Amino acid sequence: MANEPTPQDYGDGGVQEYDEGAIDDSNGISWTMGITAAVMGLIIGGFGAWATSNLGVALPVFVVLWAGATYYLYQKPIPSAAIGSGLWVTALVMLLTPVLFYLPVILEEGSGESAEAAGTFIGGILGLVIWGIAFAIGAIVVAAIGWAVKRRANTKLESRSS
């Protein structure tokens, strides 16, 4: 009984019940949200770096996407909302990954009309088609999981507000 939450009197005659699952509105750092947002940002930044590795800008893209996604996801009210939104952003980046990865290979100004240049071009087109289909299927699955997680988060938030 000693560890059981008790009602609090706020001086205006009203008594507020203790809510264990209340959203933290303090100005402090929420470590749970920070870690959740940082991990999801890492996944998003990793896909962005992979997509731009043939362009030579993988590290700056990783840092910008990681920082931007982490900041955006940290603003969400609960971790499941951050995970759901993060999975949606991941699905969008997944769709762009094969295009950005193979586009420089396809558009490369090779050695002109040589067999090597033709092989590289055909390999780039095949890679774009095959990996484009695989990543599109993966993005659909990731987006569906993100939708389910985000729906769960919305249900939690609605039940807390009522």
Side-chain angles (χ1 to χ4, degrees):
M1 281 276 200
N3 292 335
E4 205 170 300
T6 59
Q8 298 174 358
D9 182 8
Y10 286 96
D12 60 357
V15 176
Q16 180 178 1
E17 291 292 325
Y18 176 79
D19 184 9
E20 186 177 339
I23 299 170
D24 183 19
D25 289 333
S26 67
N27 290 332
I29 295 173
S30 170
W31 289 102
T32 305
M33 284 303 298
I35 291 170
T36 303
V39 169
M40 289 306 300
L42 232 125
I43 294 169
I44 294 165
F47 272 109
W50 185 9
T52 57
S53 63
N54 281 342
L55 297 172
V57 293
L59 184 62
V61 167
F62 173 79
V63 170
V64 168
L65 282 178
W66 176 75
T70 300
Y71 176 77
Y72 169 72
L73 295 173
Y74 184 79
Q75 305 302 317
K76 299 295 178 181
I78 57 176
S80 56
I83 292 170
S85 295
L87 288 173
W88 280 10
V89 174
T90 301
L92 290 174
V93 176
M94 283 178 75
L95 288 174
L96 294 175
T97 297
V99 174
L100 292 175
F101 186 81
Y102 283 107
L103 203 59
V105 173
I106 294 169
L107 298 178
E108 182 179 340
E109 301 274 337
S111 56
E113 299 292 322
S114 71
E116 182 181 352
T120 302
F121 178 78
I122 292 170
I125 295 290
L126 286 174
L128 179 61
V129 169
I130 292 167
W131 286 110
I133 291 169
F135 273 66
I137 292 168
I140 290 169
V141 171
V142 168
I145 294 169
W147 175 79
V149 171
K150 195 157 172 74
R151 185 172 173 194
R152 179 177 182 266
N154 288 339
T155 303
K156 270 183 161 179
L157 289 171
E158 287 173 6
S159 70
R160 287 183 180 176
S161 64
S162 54

